[in-house]
Amino acid sequence: MTLLQQLTKKDVLNTEQVDAIKTEMRSTAKTAEDIILEKKIISEKVLFEVKGEVLNVPFQSEFIEEIPNEVISIIPRESANFYKMVPLRIEKTEKILNVGMVYPENIQANEALKFLARQHHLQVVIYLITVSDFKKYFAKYQAVEQEMEKVLENLEEEVVIQPEDKETLVAKEKYGRLVEEAPVIKMVGVILRQAVEGSASDIHIEATADDLRVRYRLDGLLYSSLILPKKVHSAIVARIKILSRLKIDETRLPQDGRFSAVITNKKVDFRVAVMPTTMGEKVVLRVLDPSAGVDKLSDLGLSGRNFDVIEKVVKQPYGMILVTGPTGSGKTTTLYTVLRQLNKEEVNIVTLEDPVEYFMGGINQSQVNPDIDFGFSNGLRQILRQDPDIIMVGEIRDEETANLAIHAALTGHLVLSTLHTTSAIGVIPRLIDMGITPFLIPSTLSVAVSQRLARVLCPHCKKKVKLTGNSKQFVLDKLKNMPALAKKDLNLTEPLMAWQFVGCKKCNSKGYSGRVGVFEVLEISEKISDIILKGVNERELFKEARVQGMVTMDEDGILKVLKGVTSLEEIMRITQE
């Protein structure tokens, strides 16, 4: 039943009034609700009481005077104004957030609300509120903003920043003390806690023309979470610089640092990168949670031939393992997982990283420092004097580092490192481009691994569906070219089935929970070595790799789709141009 029908049924409106409203609706873009409020045909309270009955949403008739700031801040000011919704109260015992909405029928508003709620691990109960009450509630945002502005005004009155390039310990301590005393310490704490509790991998704090935006990277995608007043920007950046021991008064140059914090009873490391932009300094924090690591190779997503090859190579006493992929594709996680397998009392493991992301007991970890001419090449020379058995170099960036790594593998060390190429086969021409003599590659390089990260389907709500149309043809084309060994365990009888994301309470309506690696593994066999020695031909390399049973990255993704690990949409997102 529509709103007009219900109003007529209750004798709140007569037939003439309804006809007049319908006529105006046809001639304008206004809704019946807009027209009734504009012309004051009936009282706002009566209108929304009936609207609540139509939508089956409880009507919040009493205005709530006191709403704590921490509740108000759950829904950012911009979102509240755009979607006409405000948080009313939190039932902490059951972790339920009560939200007042003027338009609970708005699908986009509901989606935005679900996202904000899962950031705070809350369930939502919606109440209908009037337009007038919304305006009163929204005024509370202004009060919060004014309070933050007052804090910053006090800071501005007390802080005297020393001239650039003349920072003294006294000035640093004074600025640090003031930032520590300000409520901004609580704001930064909330930002960090939300990231850890929400399993975010990165935090982006960036100033815009009008405000300060905080975004979290969850399962590889960025989501806006908080919109703060622009005035808070300098104080939050200063607080993070204090924690990271960076120069507080240096705003022209990029700076890198790190700090640790105990959140929800566990120690979490944060890697900090500060960069000047036209709107002010942008801060990106990488969340390094040691408890979120992977202990076994199989947990990475390696299976079948890929798993067998890596497991065999890891047991070899010398050689080189190179992992390739774009930034954020899980290369470091893969290398650390291998190191966990190798970390034993009888071996000396030394790493050279930029920066050290995870601290591991029993391993000697060193961080490069270009400011004092301690780069990968110089550091690798020093490592070779430390009697290492296993060496991990964070990244091979130049010819000198590449040559040192190759010769380390040649002289009986197991070397692990990363390289930037688009495929596993691309590692070989890339090494040659960096000045490596082709005849050294077969005797040193054991395996090249290319990888990406795909979101894992929520096991509680994923849905099995029949593939049809273009999706079916795409999968069939991949299966047709795939090595027989890779698809021997699949049930490929008609109909062809896959899995699809849905969304439930367990995954906060995302449909995905966690990520898994999608791999392409090239083993340097005798025949591959012969092709390299004759002159690198990527087509010949690929042809021989296929004979050996290598699956491409998108084929490995298709196998994971058919096994219910991830969705076809996700694999196409990460592997297709």
Side-chain angles (χ1 to χ4, degrees), residues 349-363:
I349 302 176
V350 187
T351 75
L352 188 64
E353 305 171 60
D354 182 22
V356 175
E357 294 201 4
Y358 297 100
F359 296 107
M360 296 179 66
I363 293 177

Side-chain angles (χ1 to χ4, degrees), residues 417-539:
S417 190
T418 69
L419 201 64
H420 281 288
T421 65
T422 56
S423 66
I425 288 174
V427 166
I428 295 168
R430 175 66 178 138
L431 288 173
I432 293 172
D433 287 344
M434 296 178 84
I436 302 300
T437 309
F439 76 83
L440 289 175
I441 295 175
S443 54
T444 54
L445 183 62
S446 301
V447 68
V449 181
S450 184
Q451 70 176 80
R452 302 290 188 275
L453 289 177
R455 291 180 293 172
V456 176
L457 285 167
C458 173
H460 302 283
C461 64
K462 64 181 181 180
K463 179 183 177 184
K464 203 167 188 178
V465 294
K466 180 180 177 181
L467 287 173
T468 58
N470 292 335
S471 298
K472 180 181 178 181
Q473 191 59 48
F474 177 79
V475 172
L476 288 174
D477 289 342
K478 295 296 177 184
L479 289 172
K480 181 181 178 181
N481 298 320
M482 198 180 295
L485 184 65
K487 54 187 177 183
K488 67 182 179 65
D489 296 328
L490 295 176
N491 181 12
L492 299 178
T493 57
E494 290 287 342
L496 194 60
M497 306 295 287
W499 296 82
Q500 195 176 57
F501 68 94
V502 179
C504 65
K505 289 183 180 180
K506 295 281 187 179
C507 62
N508 289 320
S509 301
K510 288 192 295 184
Y512 297 94
S513 180
R515 289 192 288 177
V516 69
V518 179
F519 297 92
E520 183 177 292
V521 178
L522 174 68
E523 183 181 14
I524 309 302
S525 63
E526 289 186 14
K527 290 188 177 180
I528 293 288
S529 299
D530 291 341
I531 295 171
I532 295 172
L533 294 173
K534 290 176 183 177
V536 176
N537 184 315
E538 288 193 49
R539 183 175 295 178

Side-chain angles (χ1 to χ4, degrees), residues 59 68 71 83 95 97 127 163 177 184 195 198 215 258 271 283 300 341 346 371 376-377 402 410 430 446 495:
F59 175 55
V71 176
Y83 294 115
K95 292 187 176 181
L97 174 67
Y127 289 85
R177 177 178 57 79
V184 72
R215 295 192 290 170
R258 69 185 299 149
R271 192 179 79 199
V283 181
L300 290 170
Q341 303 282 326
E346 59 268 24
D371 293 339
F376 281 115
S377 55
L410 199 62
R430 175 66 178 138
S446 301

Side-chain angles (χ1 to χ4, degrees), residues 359-398:
F359 296 107
M360 296 179 66
I363 293 177
N364 305 285
Q365 296 172 271
S366 182
Q367 180 166 318
V368 300
N369 188 347
D371 293 339
I372 56 173
D373 198 29
F374 182 58
F376 281 115
S377 55
N378 291 341
L380 193 48
R381 284 195 187 91
Q382 294 300 320
I383 285 177
L384 291 170
R385 297 169 189 162
Q386 292 289 318
D387 185 31
D389 297 295
I390 299 164
I391 301 169
M392 186 185 94
V393 182
E395 183 183 347
I396 294 176
R397 297 177 179 172
D398 52 47

Side-chain angles (χ1 to χ4, degrees), residues 1 3-15 17-18 41-42 46 50 53:
M1 185 176 292
L3 179 61
L4 287 177
Q5 288 173 334
Q6 185 72 355
L7 288 169
T8 306
K9 182 180 178 181
K10 286 182 168 290
D11 294 327
V12 176
L13 293 178
N14 57 43
T15 306
Q17 290 173 316
V18 171
I41 299 172
I42 57 176
V46 170
V50 176
E53 293 175 8

Side-chain angles (χ1 to χ4, degrees), residues 223-236:
Y223 297 92
S224 291
S225 180
L226 297 171
I227 303 293
L228 300 172
K230 184 71 176 282
K231 273 276 191 175
V232 182
H233 175 247
S234 57
I236 285 182

